[in-house]
Amino acid sequence: MIDNISSSKVFSGWHKQYSHQSSVLNSAMRFAIYLPPQASESQKVPVLYWLSGLTCSDENFMQKAGAFKAAAELGIAIVAPDTSPRGEEVADDDAYDLGQGAGFYVNAIQAPWQQHYQMYDYISAELPELIEANFPVLSDKSIAGHSMGGHGALVIGLRNPEQYKSISAFSPICNPMNCPWGVKAFTAYLGSDKSLWQQYDASALITQHNVKQPIMIEQGLADQFLAEQLNIEQFADAAKKANYPVEINQHEGYDHSYYFIASFIEKHLAFHSKALLNQ
């Protein structure tokens, strides 16, 4: 059962927010969906799943990215989940980069996180099943994200090539095993066994898969987190060694903000439409 929180018409489609009780996360969860005007009982549309970054919710992308006009023209639905379970009963941390708002799209196995922080299963299984059961959408889907969400999109997309037709990311955390954000989160959620960390590291995963989905990455060269946290060079090197073609576009002057995302989101929607709509 899903409960509608809000509905707003935009570019002849609808942006809607919903809450539901997640059996995977053992808590209430919220997501937003944009349904383009083509979506109807007689016509189902493909879906792009968007994963947001640290401190974000379902609202950041929907309110700031400026994606609705292109999505309406292309006939693609967009689903934006929250970045973690939330609530008084859900474990949290005082820091912004751990706990609520910082789920890192992994299945936690360490206390006190394991009861609720099963974001990998939520994004890759429970949420798509819920969306496809309740909205006029196809099972055809792609995945994208920003920063921590870019990490999530790369990991979930690479680990599930049969599910996602294309992958894209803005300023992704490409090698979390070797950056402060990733080491902190993985130690807390997964423990000290780094073989478990590799399951959630795009730079490790890209060397292990023969199925080569289209991947596109945008990176701003004025990004304040580029040097210490994102490790895009490691991902590019791993992809090259694996003979995996990845389009990495670097841009002078752009930072880590949604101004950067808004500047190139239409390009990414067009990229996904080629895979989703066979254009």
Side-chain angles (χ1 to χ4, degrees), residues 197-269:
W197 295 16
Q198 291 181 342
Q199 299 175 22
Y200 300 102
D201 189 299
S203 294
L205 290 170
I206 200 165
T207 66
Q208 303 170 11
H209 293 272
N210 295 321
V211 178
K212 292 179 169 57
Q213 304 135 286
I215 298 178
M216 183 166 69
I217 293 174
E218 303 296 322
Q219 178 61 59
L221 295 178
D223 190 320
Q224 63 269 41
F225 302 114
L226 178 58
E228 184 179 22
Q229 302 283 10
L230 304 185
N231 291 335
I232 195 165
E233 296 87 358
Q234 286 86 332
F235 183 74
D237 289 344
K240 185 176 181 180
K241 290 177 182 177
N243 195 30
Y244 196 126
V246 176
E247 181 180 345
I248 299 176
N249 304 303
Q250 301 186 59
H251 304 275
E252 294 286 349
Y254 286 94
D255 60 18
H256 200 73
S257 71
Y258 265 84
Y259 296 112
F260 175 48
I261 296 171
S263 298
F264 298 99
I265 190 60
E266 291 187 5
K267 172 184 170 184
H268 279 241
L269 286 166

Side-chain angles (χ1 to χ4, degrees), residues 125-141:
E126 186 180 26
L127 183 60
E129 291 175 6
L130 187 75
I131 297 298
E132 290 163 27
N134 287 278
F135 299 98
V137 300
L138 301 166
S139 60
D140 298 329
K141 51 188 172 287

Side-chain angles (χ1 to χ4, degrees), residues 128-161:
E129 291 175 6
L130 187 75
I131 297 298
E132 290 163 27
N134 287 278
F135 299 98
V137 300
L138 301 166
S139 60
D140 298 329
K141 51 188 172 287
S142 293
I143 193 164
H146 170 235
S147 194
M148 178 185 72
H151 142 75
L154 289 169
V155 166
I156 292 172
L158 286 168
R159 285 181 58 172
N160 299 277

